[in-house]
Amino acid sequence: MEDIMLKAGIYQLEEKLKIEFNDKSLLLKAITHKSFPNENPDLSLNNNERLEFLGDSVLGLSIATKIFEDYGEMPEGGLAKMRAILVSSVTLARKARDIELSGHLLLGRGEEMTGGRKRDSILADALEAIFGAIYLDQGFEKAKRFINDFFDEDIELVKTGEYNKDFKTVLQEYVQQNSDKRPEYKIIEELGPDHNKEFKMEVLLNGERLGKGSGSTKKGAEQKAAKSALINLGEIEGRDGG
């Protein structure tokens, strides 16, 4: 079992999640796609489908409680729309990529060869399974706090209508049409104490700065830098305030 945990990078994943599991086999199960035990029956591993079922409910209740409490004036329709966006497979896959979850997944060889590691549905299901694993390992309150922190910036972006404006993806697609290189994001400066950080970020292509931006999280600063780059490139309208 230890060899499989090392193969999946369980300890590194715990560091990314900032959670130490009491029962690490739960986290291992959460990242095990059904194709892996099917091809490796001798390992006696269970897949993540049951945990994904549980994590879906933990996620939904956590998000619903958070937005219900934070947005007391919002009508039911608005709350339902926010929740639908936040718990969608597209959002979950995006969040999974933010923590590079794909590198930890246990997939069968066939699934691996057909691009399963990049598939939205597999990434989303694994992330929901992780929520279920946290709930079983540490209880609902800890799982809810983790989910609320994990989605904190996303919730605010959905509320302001900015969430679907994924400037990093738009910039990536633009660059791919014109170059075989990838945009590179670098931190210029970190300001403030740990509980109130501000990150200043720049985005580069072939060593040339395309744009810069700042935010309270690294991901937020990257989005601002990507938006700045798109403005500078003439792809979107706006003022580069980076």
Side-chain angles (χ1 to χ4, degrees):
M1 185 66 72
E2 184 67 21
D3 288 345
I4 296 298
M5 287 191 177
L6 291 173
K7 171 184 173 68
I10 287 293
Y11 304 105
Q12 291 86 348
L13 182 55
E14 282 185 312
E15 291 178 3
K16 291 178 183 178
L17 298 172
K18 298 180 181 178
I19 288 184
E20 184 174 351
F21 277 73
N22 298 307
D23 182 359
K24 289 177 173 48
S25 69
L26 284 170
L27 183 55
L28 183 65
K29 187 186 298 184
I31 58 175
T32 301
H33 185 260
K34 62 183 179 181
S35 61
F36 189 80
N38 285 347
E39 294 185 14
N40 300 274
D42 55 308
L43 296 176
S44 299
L45 283 177
N46 293 316
N47 66 55
N48 63 8
E49 289 182 340
R50 284 171 55 85
L51 276 179
E52 182 268 325
F53 166 80
L54 182 62
D56 176 71
S57 295
V58 174
L59 171 64
L61 181 56
S62 299
I63 292 293
T65 302
K66 169 73 171 173
I67 61 179
F68 179 85
E69 292 175 348
D70 286 1
Y71 304 109
E73 301 302 316
M74 184 176 290
E76 184 271 343
L79 293 172
K81 183 177 180 180
M82 281 188 71
R83 181 182 61 185
I85 294 172
L86 291 163
V87 305
S88 71
S89 61
V90 173
T91 296
L92 291 172
R94 182 185 299 173
K95 297 296 291 180
R97 291 188 178 96
D98 284 345
I99 59 171
E100 299 178 332
L101 182 58
S102 64
H104 298 277
L105 299 178
L106 292 177
L107 301 175
R109 188 175 302 173
E111 195 66 53
E112 182 87 57
M113 292 178 66
T114 57
R117 201 168 291 278
K118 296 180 180 179
R119 192 168 296 134
D120 278 8
S121 59
I122 290 178
L123 289 167
D125 288 351
L127 187 57
E128 284 189 318
I130 288 174
F131 299 151
I134 295 171
Y135 164 71
L136 289 179
D137 191 69
Q138 306 194 16
F140 178 69
E141 286 303 316
K142 182 63 179 285
K144 184 175 74 171
R145 284 197 299 272
F146 173 83
I147 289 169
N148 289 345
D149 289 343
F150 193 63
F151 284 90
D152 184 55
E153 186 173 276
D154 305 84
I155 291 171
E156 182 59 28
L157 289 172
V158 171
K159 172 65 168 54
T160 59
E162 289 284 311
Y163 189 71
N164 290 325
K165 298 177 182 177
D166 185 358
F167 298 112
K168 282 186 67 178
T169 298
V170 175
L171 179 61
Q172 175 70 26
E173 291 172 350
Y174 171 85
V175 169
Q176 286 177 337
Q177 292 173 0
N178 297 276
S179 170
D180 59 354
K181 304 294 184 181
R182 294 174 62 90
E184 180 183 4
Y185 294 85
K186 284 190 175 181
I187 295 175
I188 303 172
E189 192 175 10
E190 292 185 28
L191 303 172
D194 288 342
H195 68 277
N196 189 27
K197 281 278 191 185
E198 181 184 8
F199 298 92
K200 293 190 175 182
M201 191 83 65
E202 65 180 359
V203 57
L204 307 167
L205 185 65
N206 294 328
E208 179 183 350
R209 178 192 282 178
L210 298 180
K212 59 181 180 177
S214 60
S216 59
T217 67
K218 292 178 183 178
K219 288 178 288 187
E222 287 175 352
Q223 286 286 349
K224 295 285 183 61
K227 180 180 180 181
S228 167
L230 289 165
I231 291 171
N232 293 335
L233 291 166
E235 286 301 296
I236 62 173
E237 295 182 358
R239 182 175 62 86
D240 181 10

